[in-house]
Amino acid sequence: MKFNLSNILLATALSTAVMATSSHAEIILHGTRVIYPSDAREVTLQLSNNGTKPSLVQAWIDEGDPQSTPDQSKVPFMISPPIARVEAERSQTLRITALPQAAQFNKNQETVLWLNVVDIPPKPSTDGAADAPENFLQLAIRSRIKFFYRPASIKEDVRTAPEQLQWSRSGNTLNVKNPTPFHVTLTTIRQKKGDKQVDLLPQGLMLKPFSTEEVALQSNTVEDMSFININDYGGRVEYKIKLQ
């Protein structure tokens, strides 16, 4: 198998058009998010190649633009290794280190960034030949997960953040206020409509620190409403909604 680093540019372009969940990728990320405490020396993310062939992996962090490329990244973090060959059925550890410029982030609330991992498969071969076919389409798969930089100066417990959300109703609108310095990710808000439970958040919602969002209600029944939060470990926890 031969890898060409020029394929990285191809991979970046293709990854914007070819998106897949980890269940369809050869490279599996062991985690759905990365938490970086500001007082940590480094954090790690484990990758595994569940395929039968080696893959070339490229990783970088961006500020929120899904179209960004590694050369455009200006975030104050270093990933080692930024490019790695992961053999079939083997693992690779990515080590993420904050640079001194990270001290410029807001010390009173979390900052959210995005970690990208592109899986670039090797060139195909024909009948064991070393060279790839003259015409072939090489697809790269990009996984993109949230990266939270959490200041050590925050003394509140992130585990209590979902319980601190403040809910109120204004006509056909449900208002939710996040009074905490943490990002709170909601995957579902359940409301009763007739004899069924409907989801008001089919696309999910991430509440920024100290922010308020509006969600459209689908019925006048606001009793027994609940929401599901994703915690630091990727677990889904359900909470009851208490209207103020």
Side-chain angles (χ1 to χ4, degrees):
M1 297 294 174
K2 293 184 178 180
F3 290 99
N4 189 331
L5 291 183
S6 63
N7 286 341
I8 296 171
L9 298 178
L10 170 64
T12 301
L14 288 173
S15 65
T16 61
V18 183
M19 302 295 291
T21 62
S22 59
S23 61
H24 295 90
E26 303 288 3
I27 296 295
I28 305 299
L29 279 60
H30 295 266
T32 61
R33 60 205 54 234
V34 175
I35 312 297
Y36 197 118
S38 65
D39 56 354
R41 183 176 180 179
E42 67 176 20
V43 297
T44 61
L45 177 65
Q46 193 79 8
L47 313 176
S48 295
N49 183 354
N50 286 4
T52 58
K53 298 179 181 180
S55 284
L56 191 66
V57 169
Q58 183 177 30
W60 74 97
I61 298 173
D62 70 70
E63 294 180 293
D65 181 4
Q67 305 300 323
S68 69
T69 57
D71 60 302
Q72 296 172 335
S73 176
K74 304 299 181 183
V75 298
F77 294 92
M78 179 177 66
I79 299 179
S80 180
I83 302 172
R85 171 178 167 133
V86 185
E87 300 295 338
E89 301 181 353
R90 300 295 295 272
S91 298
Q92 173 69 50
T93 298
L94 298 182
R95 299 186 180 279
I96 307 171
T97 306
L99 300 177
Q101 297 91 321
Q104 299 176 6
F105 283 131
N106 192 324
K107 294 180 174 59
N108 299 316
Q109 65 182 54
E110 277 185 335
T111 297
V112 63
L113 304 169
W114 293 83
L115 174 64
N116 302 268
V117 177
V118 173
D119 171 13
I120 310 169
K123 291 182 179 180
S125 60
T126 56
D127 299 326
D131 296 329
E134 182 176 350
N135 298 311
F136 69 95
L137 177 63
Q138 185 177 27
L139 298 180
I141 298 176
R142 180 171 69 167
S143 298
R144 195 165 181 262
I145 62 175
K146 295 172 184 175
F147 180 95
F148 297 103
Y149 183 73
R150 184 171 297 164
S153 56
I154 297 178
K155 302 306 179 184
E156 297 181 46
D157 188 345
V158 65
R159 293 173 295 182
T160 68
E163 301 170 356
Q164 296 185 52
L165 296 182
Q166 300 170 2
W167 303 84
S168 62
R169 179 185 180 183
S170 177
N172 294 323
T173 300
L174 181 67
N175 302 303
V176 53
K177 179 179 180 180
N178 177 13
T180 78
F182 306 104
H183 291 80
V184 181
T185 300
L186 311 181
T187 62
T188 302
I189 294 180
R190 293 194 176 114
Q191 181 187 25
K192 190 172 183 181
K193 184 178 182 181
D195 58 352
K196 297 181 179 180
Q197 291 281 342
V198 294
D199 182 7
L200 304 183
L201 288 179
Q203 303 300 321
L205 174 66
M206 182 174 66
L207 291 167
K208 297 179 181 179
F210 311 115
S211 69
T212 300
E213 294 287 347
E214 297 180 348
V215 180
L217 294 167
Q218 293 192 20
S219 75
N220 291 322
T221 304
V222 292
E223 295 80 14
D224 299 324
M225 294 184 66
S226 64
F227 69 94
I228 294 178
N229 162 249
I230 299 182
N231 61 26
D232 278 359
Y233 307 99
R236 297 170 182 263
V237 183
E238 186 169 4
Y239 297 84
K240 293 291 185 180
I241 292 178
K242 298 178 181 178
L243 292 179
Q244 295 182 341

